[in-house]
Each structure stands twice: as structure tokens, then as C-alpha cells.
Amino acid sequence: MAKIQTTQAVRGTQDMFGETEERFAHVVATFERVRRLYGFKGLQLPVIEPTAVFSRSLGEATDVVSKEMYSFEDRGGDSITLRPEFTAGIARAYLTNGWQQFAPMKLSVHGPLFRYERPQKGRYRQFHQIDAEIIGAAEPAADVELLVMADQLLKELGINDGVTLQLNTLGDTPSRDAWRAALVGYFNDHKNALSEDSLARLEKNPLRILDSKDPTDRPVADAAPVIDEYLS
């Protein structure tokens, strides 16, 4: 009689039990308590969304959309995607439910996300994130509030030692446009040193070349024009 093979878990997923599950639950419970202190309302979102929710917001040229999304056609022929991140789904819910009337909104969500990448130590294809967003507030104080909240969360979890806060900016629209034009000119002058992926990004989203992990691209990307030279 043939031995029945035990079905294994899908690669890049994990079963949590005992201390691991308790530590996980502690992180979630601490986040829930801290977000309430700051007046963030809890939100539950679908695990599946129309693929366009992510391809339109993240951009077709991003690695997430082009390489990492779990997308499939349902029985009705619609393209569906397992959510790879939260922000696009929150924006979709905000628009489709007419929540603009409640702006500014302070929302928080946590749960599983899915990305089809090669699993490495400490990385999974199904992973969990916590997320807090302020929608409809243009004041810099909204960003400050999120940073202060995150700082308190790290302290209450006891993992704030050695944490460094780094701030950057993409500037205003004229600054960003000028920087983008400078990047396109620079990368066009160094086409021969770029990987195939970066050559494709050059046509669609040249800023993504700066994030390339390909060793071929790093010397070129590291010497590229920086936005500080173009800020208004």
C-alpha cells in the first residue's frame, strides 16, 4: 500500500503556535490600544480587490505590480488580486463608500498581505502588517502625529533601542518634475550600464531605478542627481 504524502504548507507561509502566536497577538493588541489613544478608527478591508486598485495606484512599472502580486481571473472573468499592501485598498474604500464627507479621517488596519517574492529568512509570501493613515488632512501636523504614534508604539513594544528616524521629501510638483527630467537625462546617458529591468523603468517610471537592487544598477543609481538640487 502506497504511503500517503502529508500535504505541506504553501512555501512562504507559516503556522503560528505557542510563544510565536502569543508574541504576535501581543503586537496586535498593543497596536490596537495605541491607535485608540490617538483616535484612529479601526477598519476591516477585503483580502481580495480588483487588480486595477493596485495597478493604478502603485503603477504598472513597480516591482509589486509587475512581479509580486498574486493575481487571477475569477469565474466571471474579472481580474482579482490578493492585497499586497493596505494604502490602495483604504483609498478605494474611502472613495467607493463616499467617506469624503467625514474627512479628515484617521484610520487603522492590520492583517495578512500577500506578495509573490522569493522567501528569505524572516520574509514570507503571506505576511502581516499594521497600518495607520490620515486621509483628507493637508497639514504637516498629520504626518507628525503619525510619527509620534509610531514612536510610542515602538517604545511600548520595547523595540525602540537603536531606531533612527530619517525624513525625506519628494518636494512640490515643479520640484519633482525638474528632478524627474534631470534623472531621465542622466539615465539616458548611462543606458549601457543599466539592467534590462531599469531600461524598462526608464520609459515608465525612472524614479524606480533609484530603488533597484541589481548590482549592475547601483553605481549608476548612487551617482544620480538628488532632489535637494531641485527643491523650490
Side-chain angles (χ1 to χ4, degrees):
M1 184 175 177
K3 184 178 179 181
I4 299 176
Q5 294 291 326
T6 301
T7 303
Q8 300 297 310
V10 174
R11 186 183 183 197
T13 63
Q14 60 178 325
D15 302 308
M16 288 189 288
F17 174 74
E19 182 182 354
T20 300
E21 193 281 330
E22 290 175 3
R23 290 162 68 92
F24 173 82
H26 172 66
V27 172
V28 172
T30 304
F31 172 69
E32 287 285 279
R33 178 166 50 81
V34 171
R35 64 94 172 165
R36 287 189 177 94
L37 291 175
Y38 286 81
F40 282 76
K41 299 294 185 182
L43 178 64
Q44 296 291 332
L45 294 170
V47 172
I48 57 174
E49 294 274 8
T51 300
V53 167
F54 305 108
S55 60
R56 288 175 183 172
S57 60
L58 300 178
E60 296 285 356
T62 63
D63 284 348
V64 173
V65 173
S66 63
K67 298 179 180 179
E68 298 175 4
M69 293 202 314
Y70 277 97
S71 299
F72 58 93
E73 278 196 8
D74 66 10
R75 293 182 179 180
D78 296 321
S79 182
I80 302 296
T81 295
L82 294 172
R83 62 188 184 196
E85 55 98 49
F86 281 125
T87 302
I90 292 174
R92 192 273 310 152
Y94 180 78
L95 294 173
T96 58
N97 290 294
W99 291 343
Q100 296 93 326
Q101 60 183 312
F102 304 122
M105 294 186 74
K106 296 163 67 173
L107 300 171
S108 67
V109 61
H110 62 82
L113 301 175
F114 304 85
R115 293 193 185 185
Y116 189 85
E117 59 181 343
R118 184 178 180 181
Q120 304 171 40
K121 184 178 181 180
R123 298 176 68 90
Y124 297 92
R125 288 175 174 173
Q126 177 181 326
F127 57 99
H128 290 72
Q129 279 189 359
I130 54 179
D131 186 275
E133 311 266 357
I134 301 179
I135 304 179
E139 300 83 5
D143 293 315
V144 174
E145 182 173 4
L146 284 167
L147 293 172
V148 173
M149 175 183 166
D151 181 63
Q152 180 167 344
L153 178 62
L154 293 175
K155 287 177 179 176
E156 297 211 11
L157 289 172
I159 55 174
N160 58 304
D161 288 348
V163 173
T164 301
L165 172 64
Q166 296 183 334
L167 300 177
N168 68 353
T169 179
L170 290 177
D172 56 15
T173 300
S175 301
R176 194 158 52 250
D177 289 345
W179 182 44
R180 186 183 189 281
L183 286 174
V184 170
Y186 170 79
F187 287 133
N188 271 315
D189 290 341
H190 295 81
K191 273 187 172 182
N192 293 338
L194 294 176
S195 66
E196 290 186 13
D197 281 346
S198 288
L199 289 174
R201 290 171 181 151
L202 181 56
E203 302 298 324
K204 298 178 180 179
N205 189 355
L207 271 66
R208 293 296 301 168
I209 299 176
L210 300 173
D211 297 330
S212 174
K213 297 179 178 63
D214 192 314
T216 303
D217 296 323
R218 288 319 316 162
V220 179
D222 291 341
V226 295
I227 193 170
D228 292 18
E229 301 168 5
Y230 301 91
L231 293 176
S232 62

